[in-house]
């Protein structure tokens, strides 16, 4: 059994690999936070999970798959191996991996040597998958938001972080993503000088118009000052620092990135522009851009141009259209500071699209900071179908689908989202209708209870596989891919709540 702790980037890599090989029964994750490593409580949590893993029927060996923070915080690995092996009667071993693992000469062994010291296997592990998949991280969310081609994205992190992102969450067309080449002394004396040197060399080629420095778990732990690096770059290129810690999810990362990008472009807001700014979009969160084609055609018919945050601003937008929860924070800033009206809506179905067109036309003509949002509100509609529906995903997007089916006579509806971080929980509470409709799920038990109570579940396919593995009864599952769960596989052509694939499924459902 492998036990792994640390930030979400490492855990997702392990989870995806185990799932692909059909070995999730041999992986047990330990949920830690950034505070666990700074306050010294990580070792206690890890020890508890190691003991739980050793108690699983059929386990002969438990391997602690070390992440960089485990090594940096100098957990007493020898003591951990010795005492837990004696206490549990099961061999416990620490596997040093990654760039920092190789730097620990006293403990590091190549994997073939490490495996050769383990006893021969016999029997099998009797263990059902009991854990939810780790969510895409804030680091992935920031990179997903930024321009694909003409902006460099530099991870202030060991190279293994980029490899983990590449294997699961980075879109295949995403370019310009780099990781620092680090040495042992960088983690003692700081990585700022090294970061300035490597970024200067990278930008000297003239390939990129902007530099984005994205910190992760290791950088945050050692107190990396990304703003100092950005201010130290000796060029006229735009340089930004995104201070992430790898322990929050992609929704939080996109939200932070879009707040920074919105604040950056405010210098252009002295004059109005015939633009509608789209906030909250990133492929991981929302799916393919093509889903907005009909909406963009209508916007252009009114004489306005749709623009995604991060693209060059022509002036103050006439309207902000928010398409996911991650865009709400930036939108409210522009609403409060510049009186830009807001429309929070994922209009699924013709009724919602008619209302969306009406709101766009009216809000583009208003002179005040009005906010309108799509939410289930008409309780006088006749019930036509008694089946219970469960939607799992981004609250704004699931509200759009639920609203459409509400108008088709489905009135037994629950909206849920997966969330393990305090920061994203706060964001979700600002989603339209969240106070009445939203259930925030942070455990497999809670999800299973909701799942088994529903007749039809709209959710990412990876969650459906998890439910099957624990024996949850699924009456009907309709795929609602969400990159926060399943990574870039959710971002294919036709994806998104306004996309072709879901539209086809809804038509079949209401026939």
């Amino acid at each position: 059994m492998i036990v792994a702790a640390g930030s979400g980037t490492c855990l997702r890599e392990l989870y995806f690999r185990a799932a692909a090989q059909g070995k999730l029964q041999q992986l047990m994750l330990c949920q830690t936070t950034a505070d666990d490593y700074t306050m010294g409580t990580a070792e206690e949590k890890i020890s508890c999970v190691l003991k739980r893993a050793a108690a699983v029927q059929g386990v002969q060996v438990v391997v602690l798959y070390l992440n960089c923070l485990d090594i940096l915080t100098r957990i007493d690995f020898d003591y951990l191996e010795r005492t837990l092996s004696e206490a549990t009667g099961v061999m416990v071993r620490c596997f040093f991996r990654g760039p920092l693992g190789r730097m620990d000469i006293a403990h590091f062994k190549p994997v073939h040597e490490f495996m050769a010291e383990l006893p021969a296997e016999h029997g099998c592990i009797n263990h059902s998958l009991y854990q939810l998949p780790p969510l895409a991280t804030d680091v992935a969310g920031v990179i997903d938001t930024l321009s694909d081609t003409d902006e460099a994205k530099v991870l202030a992190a060991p190279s293994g972080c980029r490899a983990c992102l590449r294997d699961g969450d980075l879109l295949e067309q995403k370019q310009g993503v780099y990781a620092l080449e680090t040495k042992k002394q960088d983690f003692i004396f700081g990585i700022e000088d090294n970061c300035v040197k490597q970024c200067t060399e990278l930008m000297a080629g003239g390939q990129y118009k902007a530099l984005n420095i994205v910190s992760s778990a290791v950088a945050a732990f050692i107190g990396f000052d990304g703003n100092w690096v950005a201010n130290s770059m000796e060029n006229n290129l735009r340089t930004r620092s995104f201070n992430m810690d790898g322990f929050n999810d992609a929704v939080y990362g996109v939200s932070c990135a879009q707040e920074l990008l919105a604040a950056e472009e405010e210098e252009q807001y002295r004059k109005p522009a015939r633009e509608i700014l789209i906030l909250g979009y990133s492929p991981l969160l929302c799916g393919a851009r093509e889903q907005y084609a009909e909406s963009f055609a209508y916007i252009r018919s009114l004489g306005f141009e749709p623009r995604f945050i991060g693209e060059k601003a022509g002036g103050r937008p006439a309207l902000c259209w928010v398409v996911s929860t991650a865009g709400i924070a930036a939108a409210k800033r522009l609403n409060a500071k510049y009186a830009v009206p807001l429309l929070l809506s994922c209009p699924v179905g013709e009724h919602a699209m008619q209302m969306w067109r009406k709101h766009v036309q009216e809000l583009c003509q208003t002179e005040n900071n009005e906010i309108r949002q799509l939410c289930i509100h008409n309780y006088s509609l006749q019930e036509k179908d008694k089946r219970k529906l469960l939607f799992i995903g981004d609250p704004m997007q699931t509200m759009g689908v639920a609203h459409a089916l509400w108008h088709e006579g489905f009135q037994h509806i629950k909206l849920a989202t997966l969330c393990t971080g305090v920061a994203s929980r706060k964001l979700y509470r600002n989603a339209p209708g969240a106070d009445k409709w939203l259930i925030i799920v942070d455990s497999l038990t809670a999800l299973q209870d909701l799942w088994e109570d529903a007749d039809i579940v709209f959710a990412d396919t990876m969650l459906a596989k998890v439910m099957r593995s624990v024996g949850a009864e699924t009456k009907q599952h309709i795929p609602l891919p969400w990159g926060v769960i399943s990574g870039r596989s959710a971002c294919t052509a036709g994806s998104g709540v306004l996309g072709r694939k879901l539209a086809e499924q809804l038509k079949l459902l209401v026939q």
Side-chain angles (χ1 to χ4, degrees):
M1 181 80 77
I2 288 180
V3 170
S7 66
T9 305
C10 295
L11 300 186
R12 273 175 74 78
E13 171 80 350
L14 281 170
Y15 191 96
F16 283 157
R17 288 190 177 230
Q21 296 176 28
K23 294 184 177 181
L24 279 171
Q25 75 278 6
Q26 290 179 258
L27 175 65
M28 192 175 285
L29 304 179
C30 176
Q31 282 291 338
T32 50
T33 66
D35 286 344
D36 286 324
Y37 288 98
T38 56
M39 303 299 291
T41 55
E43 184 170 348
E44 181 181 354
K45 281 190 174 182
I46 292 169
S47 296
C48 289
V49 177
L50 288 171
K51 292 175 183 177
R52 196 162 73 238
V56 172
Q57 184 179 344
V59 171
Q60 300 167 248
V61 181
V62 177
V63 175
L64 176 58
Y65 192 85
L66 298 174
N67 74 87
C68 292
L69 291 183
D70 295 334
I71 298 170
L72 278 174
T73 53
R74 304 312 303 166
I75 290 174
D76 193 338
F77 309 110
D78 297 326
Y79 176 79
L80 205 62
E81 289 182 342
R82 184 176 66 256
T83 57
L84 290 181
S85 295
E86 293 173 355
T88 63
V90 168
M91 179 184 284
V92 176
R93 290 291 181 267
C94 297
F95 177 55
F96 284 72
R97 41 135 325 254
L100 289 183
R102 287 191 292 272
M103 294 176 189
D104 197 313
I105 300 173
H107 292 94
F108 175 74
K109 293 178 182 177
V111 66
H112 63 276
E113 292 183 20
F114 180 86
M115 294 296 292
E117 296 178 356
L118 304 184
E121 292 187 76
H122 59 83
C124 62
I125 292 176
N126 184 12
H127 170 62
S128 295
L129 175 65
Y130 72 99
Q131 59 219 331
L132 293 172
L135 303 180
T137 64
D138 48 9
V139 176
V142 170
I143 294 174
D144 196 52
T145 301
L146 298 170
S147 170
D148 287 338
T149 54
D150 62 353
E151 295 191 5
K153 283 76 65 176
V154 176
L155 279 169
S159 58
C161 291
R162 181 187 180 279
C164 291
L165 291 169
R166 176 201 62 208
D167 292 345
D169 290 331
L170 291 187
L171 299 188
E172 293 179 354
Q173 67 267 29
K174 181 67 70 174
Q175 300 178 20
V177 181
Y178 302 87
L180 293 181
E181 295 180 9
T182 53
K183 299 178 181 178
K184 190 172 183 177
Q185 57 266 32
D186 291 331
F187 303 101
I188 301 172
F189 301 108
I191 60 176
E192 284 86 354
D193 289 337
N194 193 8
C195 187
V196 170
K197 179 177 180 295
Q198 292 183 41
C199 288
T200 299
E201 293 171 354
L202 173 66
M203 302 305 287
Q207 180 180 358
Y208 301 109
K209 297 178 181 178
L211 169 65
N212 301 282
I213 302 163
V214 186
S215 60
S216 63
V218 170
F221 177 77
I222 64 175
F224 173 71
D225 190 343
N227 293 324
W228 182 87
V229 172
N231 293 331
S232 299
M233 295 296 296
E234 295 181 359
N235 56 49
N236 295 321
L237 297 174
R238 190 181 296 276
T239 304
R240 313 180 184 101
S241 174
F242 298 91
N243 301 315
M244 302 293 106
D245 68 5
F247 284 92
N248 287 294
D249 65 28
V251 175
Y252 175 75
V254 173
S255 177
C256 290
Q258 297 205 350
E259 276 198 276
L260 190 151
L261 293 173
E264 183 181 275
E265 69 176 32
E266 287 176 10
E267 61 190 48
Q268 307 294 327
Y269 284 7
R270 289 186 296 273
K271 60 176 183 178
R274 295 190 67 79
E275 294 179 348
I276 293 180
L277 178 63
I278 294 90
L279 287 166
Y281 176 79
S282 92
L284 275 179
L285 269 55
C286 304
R289 277 197 186 192
E290 64 192 52
Q291 66 187 291
Y292 303 111
E294 179 184 350
S295 300
F296 286 179
Y298 179 75
I299 288 171
R300 292 187 175 105
S301 74
L302 297 177
F304 294 86
E305 187 63 27
R307 178 176 66 83
F308 289 94
I309 189 71
E311 298 174 347
K312 185 174 176 57
R316 186 176 65 257
L319 170 67
C320 282
W321 176 26
V322 183
V323 298
S324 85
T325 309
I328 295 175
K332 287 192 172 180
R333 172 189 171 95
L334 299 185
N335 178 259
K337 192 172 181 179
Y338 295 98
V340 178
L342 308 184
L343 178 56
L344 285 65
S345 173
C346 290
V348 178
E350 186 51 38
H351 169 73
M353 278 300 298
Q354 287 179 0
M355 294 305 299
W356 179 86
R357 295 186 195 103
K358 177 177 181 290
H359 291 322
V360 169
Q361 186 175 31
E362 291 176 355
L363 289 173
C364 284
Q365 298 171 353
T366 188
E367 296 293 331
N368 58 41
N369 58 344
E370 188 175 354
I371 301 176
R372 298 185 188 180
Q373 58 189 27
L374 174 68
C375 185
I376 294 172
H377 62 277
N378 188 347
Y379 296 98
S380 64
L381 294 173
Q382 181 181 358
E383 181 182 71
K384 299 178 183 178
D385 197 306
K386 294 186 178 299
R387 285 177 291 179
K388 292 182 284 187
L389 310 186
L390 171 65
F391 302 85
I392 304 172
D394 179 85
M396 275 192 58
Q397 295 168 22
T398 55
M399 177 60 80
V401 185
H403 177 272
L405 291 175
W406 181 272
H407 279 262
E408 294 291 339
F410 293 84
Q411 295 190 0
H412 296 277
I413 285 174
K414 290 182 179 178
L415 307 184
T417 193
L418 298 189
C419 179
T420 55
V422 175
S424 291
R425 190 178 291 262
K426 291 180 180 177
L427 294 176
Y428 288 141
R429 287 304 178 199
N430 287 319
D435 55 340
K436 177 175 176 60
W437 291 96
L438 183 62
I439 303 168
I440 295 179
V441 177
D442 61 3
S443 72
L444 184 66
T445 302
L447 177 62
Q448 186 172 348
D449 289 343
L450 288 171
W451 196 283
E452 292 184 329
D453 183 58
D455 296 307
I456 304 173
V457 179
F458 293 76
D460 193 281
T461 302
M462 184 175 282
L463 288 186
K465 292 179 180 178
V466 172
M467 289 295 102
R468 285 196 296 270
S469 75
V470 297
E473 180 183 355
T474 304
K475 302 174 185 71
Q476 183 179 354
H477 168 243
I478 295 179
L480 185 62
W482 193 29
V484 175
I485 295 174
S486 58
R488 65 168 171 262
S489 63
C491 309
T492 56
S495 60
V497 295
L498 306 185
R500 165 177 45 82
K501 293 180 181 178
L502 184 59
E504 292 169 354
Q505 293 284 344
L506 293 179
K507 287 179 183 178
L508 292 174
L509 180 62
V510 300
Q511 283 177 352

PDB file of all heavy atoms in Angstrom, residues 450-461:
ATOM      1  N   LEU A 450     -25.782  11.352  -0.938  1.00  0.00           N
ATOM      2  CA  LEU A 450     -26.492  12.133  -1.947  1.00  0.00           C
ATOM      3  C   LEU A 450     -26.721  11.316  -3.212  1.00  0.00           C
ATOM      4  O   LEU A 450     -27.799  11.348  -3.815  1.00  0.00           O
ATOM      5  CB  LEU A 450     -25.685  13.391  -2.288  1.00  0.00           C
ATOM      6  CG  LEU A 450     -25.627  14.501  -1.236  1.00  0.00           C
ATOM      7  CD1 LEU A 450     -24.615  15.569  -1.652  1.00  0.00           C
ATOM      8  CD2 LEU A 450     -26.996  15.133  -1.029  1.00  0.00           C
ATOM      9  N   TRP A 451     -25.687  10.591  -3.614  1.00  0.00           N
ATOM     10  CA  TRP A 451     -25.713   9.825  -4.864  1.00  0.00           C
ATOM     11  C   TRP A 451     -26.808   8.759  -4.832  1.00  0.00           C
ATOM     12  O   TRP A 451     -27.581   8.613  -5.781  1.00  0.00           O
ATOM     13  CB  TRP A 451     -24.347   9.171  -5.071  1.00  0.00           C
ATOM     14  CG  TRP A 451     -24.074   8.676  -6.449  1.00  0.00           C
ATOM     15  CD1 TRP A 451     -24.564   7.527  -7.021  1.00  0.00           C
ATOM     16  CD2 TRP A 451     -23.251   9.290  -7.443  1.00  0.00           C
ATOM     17  NE1 TRP A 451     -24.086   7.386  -8.297  1.00  0.00           N
ATOM     18  CE2 TRP A 451     -23.275   8.452  -8.584  1.00  0.00           C
ATOM     19  CE3 TRP A 451     -22.479  10.444  -7.481  1.00  0.00           C
ATOM     20  CZ2 TRP A 451     -22.561   8.738  -9.744  1.00  0.00           C
ATOM     21  CZ3 TRP A 451     -21.770  10.733  -8.637  1.00  0.00           C
ATOM     22  CH2 TRP A 451     -21.815   9.896  -9.752  1.00  0.00           C
ATOM     23  N   GLU A 452     -26.864   8.021  -3.743  1.00  0.00           N
ATOM     24  CA  GLU A 452     -27.816   6.916  -3.659  1.00  0.00           C
ATOM     25  C   GLU A 452     -29.252   7.394  -3.491  1.00  0.00           C
ATOM     26  O   GLU A 452     -30.196   6.659  -3.805  1.00  0.00           O
ATOM     27  CB  GLU A 452     -27.424   5.990  -2.513  1.00  0.00           C
ATOM     28  CG  GLU A 452     -26.115   5.244  -2.788  1.00  0.00           C
ATOM     29  CD  GLU A 452     -25.764   4.250  -1.711  1.00  0.00           C
ATOM     30  OE1 GLU A 452     -26.122   4.504  -0.537  1.00  0.00           O
ATOM     31  OE2 GLU A 452     -25.131   3.231  -2.025  1.00  0.00           O
ATOM     32  N   ASP A 453     -29.419   8.623  -3.023  1.00  0.00           N
ATOM     33  CA  ASP A 453     -30.771   9.168  -2.855  1.00  0.00           C
ATOM     34  C   ASP A 453     -31.351   9.668  -4.171  1.00  0.00           C
ATOM     35  O   ASP A 453     -32.570   9.831  -4.284  1.00  0.00           O
ATOM     36  CB  ASP A 453     -30.738  10.309  -1.829  1.00  0.00           C
ATOM     37  CG  ASP A 453     -32.124  10.872  -1.542  1.00  0.00           C
ATOM     38  OD1 ASP A 453     -32.991  10.081  -1.122  1.00  0.00           O
ATOM     39  OD2 ASP A 453     -32.328  12.077  -1.746  1.00  0.00           O
ATOM     40  N   ALA A 454     -30.510   9.900  -5.169  1.00  0.00           N
ATOM     41  CA  ALA A 454     -30.970  10.493  -6.432  1.00  0.00           C
ATOM     42  C   ALA A 454     -31.372   9.417  -7.433  1.00  0.00           C
ATOM     43  O   ALA A 454     -30.851   8.296  -7.421  1.00  0.00           O
ATOM     44  CB  ALA A 454     -29.867  11.362  -7.028  1.00  0.00           C
ATOM     45  N   ASP A 455     -32.292   9.776  -8.321  1.00  0.00           N
ATOM     46  CA  ASP A 455     -32.659   8.898  -9.439  1.00  0.00           C
ATOM     47  C   ASP A 455     -31.764   9.142 -10.644  1.00  0.00           C
ATOM     48  O   ASP A 455     -31.465   8.211 -11.398  1.00  0.00           O
ATOM     49  CB  ASP A 455     -34.119   9.137  -9.835  1.00  0.00           C
ATOM     50  CG  ASP A 455     -35.079   8.769  -8.720  1.00  0.00           C
ATOM     51  OD1 ASP A 455     -34.998   7.633  -8.216  1.00  0.00           O
ATOM     52  OD2 ASP A 455     -35.899   9.630  -8.332  1.00  0.00           O
ATOM     53  N   ILE A 456     -31.361  10.383 -10.840  1.00  0.00           N
ATOM     54  CA  ILE A 456     -30.482  10.754 -11.955  1.00  0.00           C
ATOM     55  C   ILE A 456     -29.377  11.644 -11.404  1.00  0.00           C
ATOM     56  O   ILE A 456     -29.652  12.619 -10.701  1.00  0.00           O
ATOM     57  CB  ILE A 456     -31.246  11.504 -13.072  1.00  0.00           C
ATOM     58  CG1 ILE A 456     -32.432  10.672 -13.575  1.00  0.00           C
ATOM     59  CG2 ILE A 456     -30.316  11.850 -14.230  1.00  0.00           C
ATOM     60  CD1 ILE A 456     -33.327  11.412 -14.542  1.00  0.00           C
ATOM     61  N   VAL A 457     -28.130  11.300 -11.737  1.00  0.00           N
ATOM     62  CA  VAL A 457     -26.990  12.085 -11.262  1.00  0.00           C
ATOM     63  C   VAL A 457     -26.250  12.675 -12.454  1.00  0.00           C
ATOM     64  O   VAL A 457     -25.845  11.944 -13.367  1.00  0.00           O
ATOM     65  CB  VAL A 457     -26.018  11.223 -10.425  1.00  0.00           C
ATOM     66  CG1 VAL A 457     -24.831  12.068  -9.974  1.00  0.00           C
ATOM     67  CG2 VAL A 457     -26.730  10.610  -9.226  1.00  0.00           C
ATOM     68  N   PHE A 458     -26.076  13.997 -12.448  1.00  0.00           N
ATOM     69  CA  PHE A 458     -25.235  14.699 -13.420  1.00  0.00           C
ATOM     70  C   PHE A 458     -23.890  14.937 -12.741  1.00  0.00           C
ATOM     71  O   PHE A 458     -23.798  15.723 -11.795  1.00  0.00           O
ATOM     72  CB  PHE A 458     -25.854  16.045 -13.807  1.00  0.00           C
ATOM     73  CG  PHE A 458     -27.143  15.950 -14.567  1.00  0.00           C
ATOM     74  CD1 PHE A 458     -28.332  15.631 -13.924  1.00  0.00           C
ATOM     75  CD2 PHE A 458     -27.176  16.180 -15.936  1.00  0.00           C
ATOM     76  CE1 PHE A 458     -29.526  15.547 -14.615  1.00  0.00           C
ATOM     77  CE2 PHE A 458     -28.372  16.107 -16.637  1.00  0.00           C
ATOM     78  CZ  PHE A 458     -29.542  15.781 -15.978  1.00  0.00           C
ATOM     79  N   ALA A 459     -22.845  14.259 -13.209  1.00  0.00           N
ATOM     80  CA  ALA A 459     -21.546  14.372 -12.542  1.00  0.00           C
ATOM     81  C   ALA A 459     -20.441  13.900 -13.463  1.00  0.00           C
ATOM     82  O   ALA A 459     -20.677  13.199 -14.459  1.00  0.00           O
ATOM     83  CB  ALA A 459     -21.539  13.542 -11.247  1.00  0.00           C
ATOM     84  N   ASP A 460     -19.226  14.275 -13.101  1.00  0.00           N
ATOM     85  CA  ASP A 460     -18.045  13.837 -13.832  1.00  0.00           C
ATOM     86  C   ASP A 460     -17.960  12.311 -13.796  1.00  0.00           C
ATOM     87  O   ASP A 460     -18.275  11.668 -12.783  1.00  0.00           O
ATOM     88  CB  ASP A 460     -16.799  14.455 -13.189  1.00  0.00           C
ATOM     89  CG  ASP A 460     -15.576  14.317 -14.075  1.00  0.00           C
ATOM     90  OD1 ASP A 460     -14.971  13.213 -14.109  1.00  0.00           O
ATOM     91  OD2 ASP A 460     -15.212  15.296 -14.738  1.00  0.00           O
ATOM     92  N   THR A 461     -17.513  11.730 -14.905  1.00  0.00           N
ATOM     93  CA  THR A 461     -17.431  10.272 -15.012  1.00  0.00           C
ATOM     94  C   THR A 461     -16.496   9.675 -13.969  1.00  0.00           C
ATOM     95  O   THR A 461     -16.717   8.553 -13.491  1.00  0.00           O
ATOM     96  CB  THR A 461     -16.976   9.877 -16.427  1.00  0.00           C
ATOM     97  OG1 THR A 461     -17.909  10.414 -17.370  1.00  0.00           O
ATOM     98  CG2 THR A 461     -16.935   8.368 -16.594  1.00  0.00           C
TER      99      THR A 461
END
